[in-house]
Amino acid sequence: MLYLTDLINKPVTDVNGKIEGTLNDLVASFRSDIPHPEIVAIVMKNPEDHLIIIPFSNVEEMKTSSSSLKVFIKDIIPYKSEEKDLYLARDILDRQIIDANDIKLECVNDLELMKVNEKFYVANVDIGGVGLLRRLGITKVTQKLAGYFGKELNPGTIAWHDVELLPGNEFIRLKVPSNKITELHPADLAEIISDLSRAESKKLLESLDVKTVADTLEEVETEFQATLIETMPDERVADVLEEMAPDDAADLLAELPENRSKEILKLMEVEEAADVRKLLTYNEDTAGGIMTTEFVAVPPDVTAEKAISLLREAWQEAETIFYVYVTDKKGKLEGVFSLKDLILAQPGTHVSDIMHRRIVSVKLTESQDKVAQVVAKYNLLAVPVIDNNRKLHGIVTADDALDKIIPTSWKKRLPRMYQ
């Protein structure tokens, strides 16, 4: 494969091998029915820093080490540029790729060239990390390191026939809709959104389904969440909040003007709204303020087999099922067990026989700092939140507990230990 950046700044020699300058750019033009622009000239910078546009008919060979000419420089009749010509380095490199809905996706890091019958054409647009590494001149070193650690660097290319140039020098548009954007991890979507303008992020969010919007919002700072939904209709915001974890939904509503927050709560489903209202009654820096009400609890008299059945029914409503809590009819916390405990138990064993009765917990009014200390000290994925009567109100997951100790940008990089 030959790439544009492999050629830039490399020597250009004449018919006798004398270095006459360096390759500065390639000129391409559409000249046939092939949907790929053909290289029609090279731009050479001579030792006096003057640019000479040389017709490709005068070029003998293009290689990563150098490009050679068939003639002497003095015999060249300079190429006359046409309006439809593309200067690949000047006009294409670093331009943004956007989808059919005008949503920015990636940056052009390089262009891949193909040789057909002694002619060169632009084959693909490189948007991958390898293209960027190639421009920095560290591709081989990075590939060796990646191979050492058992990783593979993916090139990340888009076929030229799938893109079109837009007027001006800012964007390239994908001809095909970016209908697979919802397949990206929410963290990747959040990163894309954080790089967009407000207008661009609005368009992107409008194109996503409610569940994807909810998952994506949970990956960004609460203040940024509020900005993103500022112009979103209240009905859609309500639908999004219903898909979010109650604690995240409560945090977002707390960032909104009080009147709007109340109106959105009215539009939410009764059960989801009740959970959020409950969380809003607690100070945001307490266990009650950062807990989620989505957890799994079972009674002590059920068997392990029955508990597994209950988990199958409740898993979609729980934020974590690594721990299962045991409560009595009044909701009082009596014990806890892990999935490992449950799986290893005989089907007929009662939960009361496998649960751990010495439970690490925190009170509703406990400070977030205290909760974080408990989570860190006992190496917990989540800690139950109880009142003075030991009634279980919710759980605080490790990432929410540690929110004050480590930056959110780092916290989001921690492995997800829950559904």
Side-chain angles (χ1 to χ4, degrees):
M1 296 181 184
L2 190 63
Y3 291 90
L4 174 63
T5 56
D6 286 333
L7 304 171
I8 300 296
N9 296 325
K10 297 298 175 60
V12 177
T13 62
D14 68 9
V15 67
N16 279 344
K18 178 185 176 183
I19 297 177
E20 296 288 354
T22 56
L23 195 144
N24 179 265
D25 207 340
L26 296 180
V27 183
S29 183
F30 291 98
R31 294 200 163 183
S32 65
D33 295 333
I34 300 176
H36 295 267
E38 177 187 343
I39 306 303
V40 295
I42 69 171
V43 181
M44 185 190 78
K45 179 185 288 188
N46 67 17
E48 290 76 39
D49 282 341
H50 295 148
L51 297 180
I52 303 173
I53 306 178
I54 303 171
F56 199 75
S57 58
N58 293 149
V59 177
E60 177 68 31
E61 190 174 22
M62 287 197 308
K63 298 187 298 183
T64 57
S65 57
S66 65
S67 296
S68 57
L69 305 178
K70 299 177 181 178
V71 297
F72 294 104
I73 290 294
K74 63 181 180 62
D75 297 328
I76 290 175
I77 300 175
Y79 174 83
K80 292 184 178 180
S81 296
E82 300 179 9
E83 187 176 349
K84 62 181 180 180
D85 288 344
L86 293 174
Y87 285 69
L88 299 185
R90 185 193 70 187
D91 298 336
I92 308 298
L93 284 187
D94 297 324
R95 288 180 68 171
Q96 297 293 335
I97 298 282
I98 57 177
D99 74 1
N101 297 315
D102 293 337
I103 301 163
K104 183 174 66 174
L105 293 178
E106 298 288 353
C107 182
V108 178
N109 292 323
D110 210 342
L111 293 170
E112 183 182 349
L113 308 176
M114 62 179 176
K115 188 176 183 180
V116 181
N117 297 327
E118 303 305 315
K119 295 181 179 180
F120 282 89
Y121 300 87
V122 179
N124 297 305
V125 177
D126 190 332
I127 60 171
V130 175
L132 185 58
L133 294 173
R134 190 182 305 111
R135 294 177 67 176
L136 296 173
I138 57 175
T139 312
K140 292 182 179 179
V141 175
T142 308
Q143 286 177 329
K144 285 183 179 179
L145 287 173
Y148 179 79
F149 289 106
K151 302 293 184 181
E152 184 176 347
L153 295 177
N154 297 317
T157 57
I158 299 173
W160 177 270
H161 56 71
D162 281 339
V163 303
E164 63 178 331
L165 301 179
L166 298 182
N169 295 316
E170 189 175 359
F171 294 120
I172 297 174
R173 188 199 303 272
L174 279 174
K175 290 180 181 177
V176 291
S178 186
N179 55 3
K180 291 190 176 182
I181 194 168
T182 56
E183 296 179 11
L184 291 174
H185 190 283
D188 294 324
L189 279 173
E191 187 173 356
I192 290 173
I193 286 176
S194 66
D195 290 334
L196 301 180
S197 67
R198 180 173 295 191
E200 290 169 336
S201 61
K202 177 184 176 183
K203 287 182 179 180
L204 176 53
L205 291 175
E206 288 175 348
S207 71
L208 303 177
D209 61 81
V210 169
K211 181 66 167 66
T212 304
V213 173
D215 292 341
T216 302
L217 289 181
E218 288 182 349
E219 297 292 336
V220 302
E221 300 281 359
T222 308
E223 295 82 359
F224 188 33
Q225 291 176 357
T227 301
L228 291 173
I229 68 166
E230 190 173 0
T231 59
M232 193 180 292
D234 287 354
E235 292 80 2
R236 182 168 171 81
V237 175
D239 292 338
V240 169
L241 292 176
E242 289 170 0
E243 294 291 340
M244 294 174 69
D247 54 328
D248 289 323
D251 289 342
L252 176 51
L253 283 174
E255 288 291 326
L256 302 180
E258 186 176 353
N259 290 339
R260 191 185 186 199
S261 179
K262 289 180 178 179
E263 289 301 316
I264 292 173
L265 277 169
K266 291 178 183 178
L267 295 171
M268 293 176 63
E269 294 292 332
V270 175
E271 187 175 346
E272 283 81 358
D275 288 338
V276 175
R277 284 193 178 94
K278 177 180 179 180
L279 295 175
L280 287 171
T281 62
Y282 300 107
N283 188 296
E284 63 179 358
D285 292 327
T286 64
I290 61 174
M291 72 179 181
T292 178
T293 55
E294 294 181 339
F295 58 89
V296 177
V298 298
D301 56 350
V302 299
T303 63
E305 183 178 27
K306 178 61 176 178
I308 290 175
S309 177
L310 292 173
L311 259 62
R312 289 196 183 104
E313 297 173 5
W315 73 270
Q316 287 185 317
E317 302 299 324
E319 183 156 345
T320 175
I321 55 172
F322 274 77
Y323 301 134
V324 181
Y325 301 96
V326 182
T327 57
D328 64 14
K329 294 181 180 179
K330 294 183 179 180
K332 182 180 177 181
L333 182 61
E334 294 190 349
V336 63
F337 58 89
S338 67
L339 285 185
K340 179 181 177 181
D341 296 327
L342 182 61
I343 293 171
L344 294 179
Q346 294 297 319
T349 304
H350 283 86
V351 162
S352 56
D353 294 327
I354 64 172
M355 70 183 188
H356 303 275
R357 300 178 185 274
R358 295 181 62 183
I359 312 163
V360 177
S361 61
V362 294
K363 295 291 183 65
L364 283 163
T365 55
E366 209 87 71
S367 70
Q368 184 173 357
D369 289 336
K370 177 63 176 178
V371 177
Q373 291 171 18
V374 170
V375 167
K377 179 180 179 179
Y378 295 99
N379 196 26
L380 300 173
L381 297 176
V383 60
V385 182
I386 60 175
D387 60 20
N388 291 330
N389 296 318
R390 294 195 60 77
K391 181 178 179 180
L392 180 59
H393 288 264
I395 62 172
V396 177
T397 55
D399 61 338
D400 288 332
L402 299 174
D403 191 25
K404 272 196 170 184
I405 295 179
I406 60 177
T408 301
S409 58
W410 291 10
K411 181 191 72 172
K412 294 301 183 183
R413 290 176 170 81
L414 293 174
R416 291 280 178 154
M417 294 297 185
Y418 51 88
Q419 298 292 332

